[in-house]
Amino acid sequence: MVTPMDPTSAAFMLAENRNQPMHVGGLQLFRRPDDAGRTFVRDFYQDMIQERELSPLFLKRPQRSLATAGQWVWTEDTQFDIEHHVRHSGLPKPGRVRELLELCSRLHGTRLAPERPLWEATVIEGLRDGRMAMYTKMHHALVDGVSSMRLLQSVLSTDPDRREMPPPWAVQPAARGVAPEPASTDHHLADLPASAFRQALGITADAAGIAGALARTVSRGVRNETSALSFYAPRTILNTNITGSRRFAAQDWPIERLRGVGKATGTTINDVVLAMVSGAMRTYLTELGALPDTGLVAMVPVGLNAKQAQNASVDGGNAVGAVMVKLGTDLADPADRLRAVHRSMTDGKEALGTMTPLQILAMSAIGLAPAVLPPLLRMSGFTRPPFNLIISNVPGPRVPHYYNGAELVGMYPLSIPIHGMALNITCTSYAGRMGFGLTGCRRTVPRLQLLLAHLDHELSALECAAGL
Amino acid sequence: MVTPMDPTSAAFMLAENRNQPMHVGGLQLFRRPDDAGRTFVRDFYQDMIQERELSPLFLKRPQRSLATAGQWVWTEDTQFDIEHHVRHSGLPKPGRVRELLELCSRLHGTRLAPERPLWEATVIEGLRDGRMAMYTKMHHALVDGVSSMRLLQSVLSTDPDRREMPPPWAVQPAARGVAPEPASTDHHLADLPASAFRQALGITADAAGIAGALARTVSRGVRNETSALSFYAPRTILNTNITGSRRFAAQDWPIERLRGVGKATGTTINDVVLAMVSGAMRTYLTELGALPDTGLVAMVPVGLNAKQAQNASVDGGNAVGAVMVKLGTDLADPADRLRAVHRSMTDGKEALGTMTPLQILAMSAIGLAPAVLPPLLRMSGFTRPPFNLIISNVPGPRVPHYYNGAELVGMYPLSIPIHGMALNITCTSYAGRMGFGLTGCRRTVPRLQLLLAHLDHELSALECAAGL
């Protein structure tokens, strides 16, 4: 059966090349249940690949030929092989997080086989602390990154004793026979996991519409029409052509520490996140001898955190959009940088347009941004990049979740670097911790993993500056 | 720099599709040196990916576009990324050979990225017996399987104390500045590693010529013109269309045991190899309820073993060719099957044509056979398959070899199944052991790994029948 591919998905297929693989990823860390036996991970994996009914999303593959008049279409994979898509790997010794991140970097730097359904999942064991991990990869033509993250979350449960839970690619018991609800554009963020999940399985979606709205908003942001400030970003090493080599780094910190800094300084948790990135980037670029004289500018989708108690970047309401934030990397003092970020955010938010939460979610680096940005970045008239990097902050569940008894203890999205935008930083909160996921081109952004130590150092410096 | 691709290589690029990836593989097992520290494998890997001069063979990638008028050409990869090609993996627990074979099956079932140089190597740790492994994969358009095996061997040394040995993809110190010797077609087998290696690096080669000669010889074999016997092979599950899923199984046995059976029964080691396969296939097909009434026929390239003392299948001389061997799978008694194989080989060899050793090597399932067989298998006039499977026996080094202090303790080639020929068995002798490598389509040849136990059982049965 052949079905047409919507224009946004087709655009992702066409935009893909060796240097710009168009898939998003997710890294999930799990703690084994206390009663786990020696074969727990193997059994966990074996259960995942057992025969079951799969969602159509995970069975369709892209096709383009003379028969389709050169157009991309979806067709069902009649030779679907679950063992190609779901894999079981071990880590080399000594099994530190470093080895895990190296594996994720490699997996994320490899293109999906275009003749098969566009997804993979790898169950990873061998972390010396006994945790296990799952890296999941989905092509952006199949599902946007946010829906992908929500999809992974949607199969989890808050009940540690629940078992026989199906994997994300299976038809979910709850979803069977349920007609999709009418599309709504004014739902609250709390509704998003379910609706995004429906969208992921419903496929039709209004992705094209979102992309258009997104393009208009980003364009406004890029032209500084949304901001009282008028400025452009400096040239940096981040804003050049990239290669296909990827480096992924991830780490998390207690949200309590970020909240502490925010309370003591009258700033938000999101401000503290941005100040951490600012200080880390300043140190990183200084060491490379590549720090520009003027401060870096980040595109920050805001409103993601509305009504999420632990992230108060938008104080209630539905006013959301993208803010161009001056990170203050030209300032030597951590407290000055935090103040600069806070002021820039405050100014920027005053001029925000309105978008639905789903559109804002879609704007992040794991969302539709990779589809919308390239033409904007190529727009004539820019002698300097409109901004230097994207920093997104996507809220996740606040309480611990479990999958067949294994507790999810961390999750980090892997995004899509593109030409002109070699580094993305995507944060997710989960169960009291703020996880940072850094995805970059390994050659354009050398030794990207150093940023983790710099982020850690910067949080301490901010605490010190706040008198904590 | 763009260079044309020779017709044989181009044929491999064109023949490749999802169900028939056209790469050969090699699995090498190493024992760590006695003084190896905890970081031995990591250091081993790090050394392999350090910057050094690479052979042009490992830097070129295939390209086909409007600019090349739709023809396949070679072009140098200007963004070569060694970390994409050379990887470091761990095995899941419990780290048995089973987990290693599962990883190799998966790696061998995945196509090489066509936009990059067509090779990969994976350093594998995590075997519970402490050994480490290397799986290497090269596209058949780059180098034929035999040259690939020889290339891997050529960098080894008999000296356990030698260090700072370069990996196979580096420009070898000995090769630098040495002009290629004039082509010779009458060299002895002992010369092959060096000449095949030169061929691999020299590229030009007479591959097209070999393919032609090979096609004529195989065609003769297929038409039974080389044999006094006139028969065709039965239909079996092995002779149908295949999928892209691969299963690889490997194991080795002491050559002394095979020699013992041969001496006691007046047969050759190669006869015993074929009888082991015969008995194993009989048991395997019987369990599936798929054993044909008439015996299976194997295409067996012979002469590979000439002048190799431990493999006396051809008694001196240069008379070599492909023999269609009746395996006697219709016979219930192991001794009867061995006798049938021996008689079939003896009859077949009497009618052999002449080919050079290199041509014979090239005929094996890891050689040019995957290029030559498909058109032959499609030849009109055959209502039944001309033969059921390919069994090759390629001699390797007789004494232990080392790579930077690590002893090579086993090596097994992974070949290319094609439509109509779902299973290949390639044996290699090394340091007193006969290694069997079985490569098949996982769906056409279900539970292929069972054949290992059947092979083991059959060797015992043959010893018993021989009164040992």
Side-chain angles (χ1 to χ4, degrees):
Chain A
M1 199 186 67
V2 173
T3 52
M5 189 181 289
D6 70 75
T8 309
S9 292
F12 276 111
M13 295 304 298
L14 292 168
E16 181 163 72
N17 60 45
R18 166 190 179 172
N19 291 339
Q20 296 188 139
M22 285 290 164
H23 54 257
V24 290
L27 172 63
Q28 295 175 301
L29 276 169
F30 292 95
R31 199 174 62 79
R32 299 173 207 226
D34 294 331
D35 60 352
R38 292 166 57 93
T39 62
F40 179 78
V41 182
R42 170 155 289 269
D43 297 344
F44 185 92
Y45 170 73
Q46 289 296 342
D47 178 68
M48 281 194 151
I49 61 169
Q50 78 178 32
E51 264 191 61
R52 49 165 66 86
E53 192 182 350
L54 258 67
S55 299
L57 184 69
F58 293 88
L59 287 172
K60 67 182 183 179
R61 64 188 183 92
Q63 201 171 21
R64 183 170 66 161
S65 68
L66 282 179
T68 67
Q71 298 300 301
W72 282 108
V73 298
W74 292 115
T75 176
E76 190 179 320
D77 185 2
T78 54
Q79 301 194 328
F80 182 79
D81 177 10
I82 187 87
E83 289 189 44
H84 175 86
H85 297 273
V86 186
R87 296 139 181 225
H88 184 191
S89 284
L91 290 180
K93 297 267 183 246
R96 296 162 298 184
V97 168
R98 176 180 158 178
E99 277 75 35
L100 174 65
L101 295 177
E102 282 177 0
L103 175 59
C104 289
S105 299
R106 189 179 87 209
L107 293 171
H108 201 61
T110 309
R111 283 171 72 177
L112 289 157
E115 68 269 22
R116 298 180 186 259
L118 298 170
W119 66 283
E120 287 173 17
T122 305
V123 175
I124 302 162
E125 63 175 70
L127 273 167
R128 64 177 168 186
D129 58 19
R131 292 183 297 180
M132 67 172 188
M134 189 159 88
Y135 166 81
T136 317
K137 180 170 166 178
M138 293 186 79
H139 199 281
H140 215 313
L142 208 62
V143 61
D144 71 84
V146 175
S147 298
S148 158
M149 287 293 286
R150 300 297 187 202
L151 179 60
L152 292 178
Q153 288 169 26
S154 70
V155 298
L156 305 177
S157 164
T158 53
D159 179 0
D161 297 322
R162 221 176 123 197
R163 295 292 188 277
E164 301 192 3
M165 296 163 66
W169 43 90
V171 168
Q172 305 298 315
R176 282 184 199 152
V178 176
E181 292 182 18
S184 161
T185 51
D186 61 359
H187 44 225
H188 294 297
L189 275 168
D191 299 329
L192 271 179
S195 61
F197 176 49
R198 276 198 302 273
Q199 183 199 5
L201 297 183
I203 295 29
T204 55
D206 53 342
I210 290 177
L214 186 57
R216 284 190 298 277
T217 305
V218 176
S219 174
R220 234 182 4 249
V222 163
R223 295 179 183 285
N224 292 302
E225 294 168 9
T226 61
S227 170
L229 296 168
S230 179
F231 55 79
Y232 287 104
R235 290 179 199 278
T236 73
I237 58 169
L238 306 179
N239 308 110
T240 56
N241 278 352
I242 61 169
T243 74
S245 307
R246 291 289 168 272
R247 186 69 88 205
F248 174 63
Q251 191 168 328
D252 52 29
W253 288 269
I255 290 179
E256 204 44 60
R257 288 183 63 189
L258 280 71
R259 185 180 288 121
V261 173
K263 276 190 177 162
T265 57
T267 58
T268 69
I269 289 176
N270 201 46
D271 292 339
V272 179
V273 163
L274 296 173
M276 283 172 70
V277 172
S278 170
M281 287 305 300
R282 177 181 162 88
T283 307
Y284 174 79
L285 291 174
T286 301
E287 285 177 355
L288 287 175
L291 182 72
D293 292 336
T294 55
L296 265 62
V297 176
M299 180 183 114
V300 181
V302 294
L304 297 173
N305 313 323
K307 303 193 176 165
Q308 302 285 327
Q310 81 277 32
N311 292 307
S313 67
V314 172
D315 317 290
N318 278 327
V320 285
V323 177
M324 299 297 150
V325 178
K326 289 189 84 158
L327 291 179
T329 50
D330 50 327
L331 305 171
D333 183 69
D336 289 347
R337 289 194 292 267
L338 177 55
R339 266 189 296 273
V341 163
H342 179 69
R343 194 166 48 239
S344 189
M345 279 296 284
T346 309
D347 291 349
K349 281 188 294 193
E350 288 176 0
L352 285 178
T354 55
M355 293 178 76
T356 67
L358 186 57
Q359 286 169 331
I360 286 298
L361 275 173
M363 180 185 289
S364 71
I366 59 166
L368 286 167
V372 172
L373 289 183
L376 292 174
L377 295 179
R378 277 197 299 272
M379 278 196 306
S380 57
F382 287 121
T383 53
R384 291 193 295 174
F387 52 92
N388 299 109
L389 74 168
I390 304 177
I391 307 173
S392 329
N393 188 351
V394 184
R398 266 174 283 179
V399 295
H401 277 59
Y402 299 83
Y403 181 66
N404 284 320
E407 181 186 352
L408 179 73
V409 290
M411 57 173 189
Y412 316 88
L414 289 86
S415 63
I416 304 179
I418 54 174
H419 287 313
M421 215 47 71
L423 172 68
N424 291 322
I425 297 179
T426 309
C427 302
T428 44
S429 58
Y430 168 65
R433 301 187 70 86
M434 181 66 77
F436 284 64
L438 288 59
T439 315
C441 164
R442 194 175 71 231
R443 297 193 173 183
T444 317
V445 191
R447 307 194 67 196
L448 181 157
Q449 63 275 18
L450 291 176
L451 281 166
L452 295 182
H454 298 335
L455 284 168
D456 190 64
H457 178 267
E458 190 64 15
L459 178 54
S460 299
L462 287 166
E463 287 176 326
C464 189
L468 298 173
Chain B
M1 199 187 66
V2 173
T3 52
M5 190 181 290
D6 70 77
T8 309
S9 292
F12 276 111
M13 294 305 299
L14 293 167
E16 182 163 72
N17 59 46
R18 168 190 177 173
N19 291 338
Q20 296 187 139
M22 285 289 164
H23 54 255
V24 289
L27 172 63
Q28 296 174 300
L29 276 169
F30 292 95
R31 201 175 62 79
R32 299 173 208 225
D34 294 330
D35 60 351
R38 292 166 58 93
T39 62
F40 179 80
V41 183
R42 169 155 290 270
D43 297 343
F44 184 92
Y45 170 72
Q46 289 296 341
D47 178 66
M48 281 194 150
I49 61 168
Q50 78 180 29
E51 264 191 62
R52 51 165 66 85
E53 192 183 349
L54 258 68
S55 299
L57 184 69
F58 294 89
L59 286 172
K60 67 182 185 178
R61 64 188 185 91
Q63 201 172 22
R64 184 171 64 162
S65 68
L66 282 179
T68 66
Q71 299 300 302
W72 282 107
V73 298
W74 293 115
T75 175
E76 189 178 323
D77 185 2
T78 53
Q79 301 193 329
F80 181 79
D81 177 11
I82 187 86
E83 289 189 44
H84 175 87
H85 297 272
V86 185
R87 296 139 180 225
H88 184 191
S89 283
L91 290 179
K93 296 268 182 242
R96 295 162 299 184
V97 169
R98 175 180 158 177
E99 277 75 34
L100 175 65
L101 295 177
E102 282 177 1
L103 175 58
C104 288
S105 299
R106 188 179 88 209
L107 293 171
H108 201 63
T110 308
R111 282 172 72 177
L112 288 158
E115 69 269 22
R116 298 179 187 260
L118 298 169
W119 65 281
E120 286 173 17
T122 306
V123 175
I124 304 162
E125 63 175 69
L127 273 167
R128 62 177 168 187
D129 58 20
R131 291 182 298 179
M132 66 172 190
M134 189 159 90
Y135 166 80
T136 316
K137 180 171 168 179
M138 291 186 81
H139 199 281
H140 215 315
L142 208 60
V143 63
D144 71 84
V146 175
S147 297
S148 157
M149 287 293 287
R150 299 297 186 202
L151 179 60
L152 291 178
Q153 289 168 26
S154 71
V155 298
L156 305 178
S157 164
T158 54
D159 180 359
D161 297 321
R162 220 175 123 196
R163 296 293 186 278
E164 302 194 0
M165 296 163 67
W169 43 88
V171 168
Q172 305 299 314
R176 282 185 199 150
V178 176
E181 292 181 19
S184 161
T185 51
D186 60 358
H187 44 225
H188 294 295
L189 275 168
D191 298 330
L192 270 177
S195 62
F197 176 51
R198 277 199 302 274
Q199 183 198 7
L201 298 183
I203 299 10
T204 57
D206 54 340
I210 290 178
L214 186 57
R216 284 190 298 277
T217 305
V218 175
S219 175
R220 235 184 359 251
V222 163
R223 295 178 183 288
N224 290 303
E225 294 169 9
T226 61
S227 169
L229 296 168
S230 178
F231 55 78
Y232 287 106
R235 290 179 199 279
T236 73
I237 59 169
L238 306 179
N239 308 110
T240 57
N241 278 351
I242 61 170
T243 74
S245 306
R246 291 289 168 273
R247 186 69 87 205
F248 174 64
Q251 193 168 328
D252 51 31
W253 289 269
I255 291 178
E256 203 44 61
R257 289 183 64 187
L258 280 69
R259 185 180 288 122
V261 173
K263 276 191 177 162
T265 58
T267 59
T268 69
I269 290 175
N270 201 47
D271 291 340
V272 178
V273 164
L274 297 173
M276 284 172 69
V277 172
S278 170
M281 287 305 300
R282 178 180 161 89
T283 307
Y284 173 80
L285 291 173
T286 301
E287 285 178 353
L288 288 174
L291 183 72
D293 292 336
T294 55
L296 266 60
V297 176
M299 179 183 114
V300 181
V302 293
L304 296 173
N305 312 323
K307 302 191 178 166
Q308 303 282 324
Q310 83 276 33
N311 291 307
S313 67
V314 172
D315 317 292
N318 278 325
V320 286
V323 176
M324 300 295 150
V325 178
K326 289 188 84 160
L327 290 179
T329 50
D330 50 328
L331 305 171
D333 183 69
D336 290 346
R337 289 194 292 268
L338 178 55
R339 265 190 296 274
V341 162
H342 179 68
R343 194 165 48 239
S344 187
M345 278 295 285
T346 309
D347 291 349
K349 279 189 294 193
E350 288 175 0
L352 284 177
T354 55
M355 292 178 76
T356 68
L358 185 58
Q359 286 170 331
I360 286 297
L361 274 172
M363 181 185 286
S364 70
I366 58 164
L368 286 166
V372 171
L373 289 182
L376 292 175
L377 295 177
R378 275 197 301 270
M379 279 194 305
S380 60
F382 287 120
T383 53
R384 290 194 295 174
F387 52 91
N388 299 109
L389 75 167
I390 303 177
I391 308 174
S392 329
N393 187 350
V394 184
R398 270 174 280 178
V399 295
H401 277 59
Y402 300 82
Y403 182 65
N404 284 321
E407 181 187 351
L408 179 73
V409 291
M411 56 173 191
Y412 317 87
L414 290 86
S415 62
I416 304 178
I418 55 175
H419 287 315
M421 213 50 67
L423 172 68
N424 291 323
I425 298 180
T426 309
C427 301
T428 44
S429 58
Y430 168 65
R433 300 187 71 85
M434 181 67 75
F436 284 64
L438 288 61
T439 315
C441 162
R442 194 174 71 232
R443 297 190 172 184
T444 317
V445 192
R447 305 195 68 197
L448 180 157
Q449 63 276 18
L450 290 176
L451 281 166
L452 295 182
H454 298 337
L455 283 169
D456 188 64
H457 178 266
E458 190 64 14
L459 178 55
S460 299
L462 286 167
E463 286 176 324
C464 189
L468 297 174

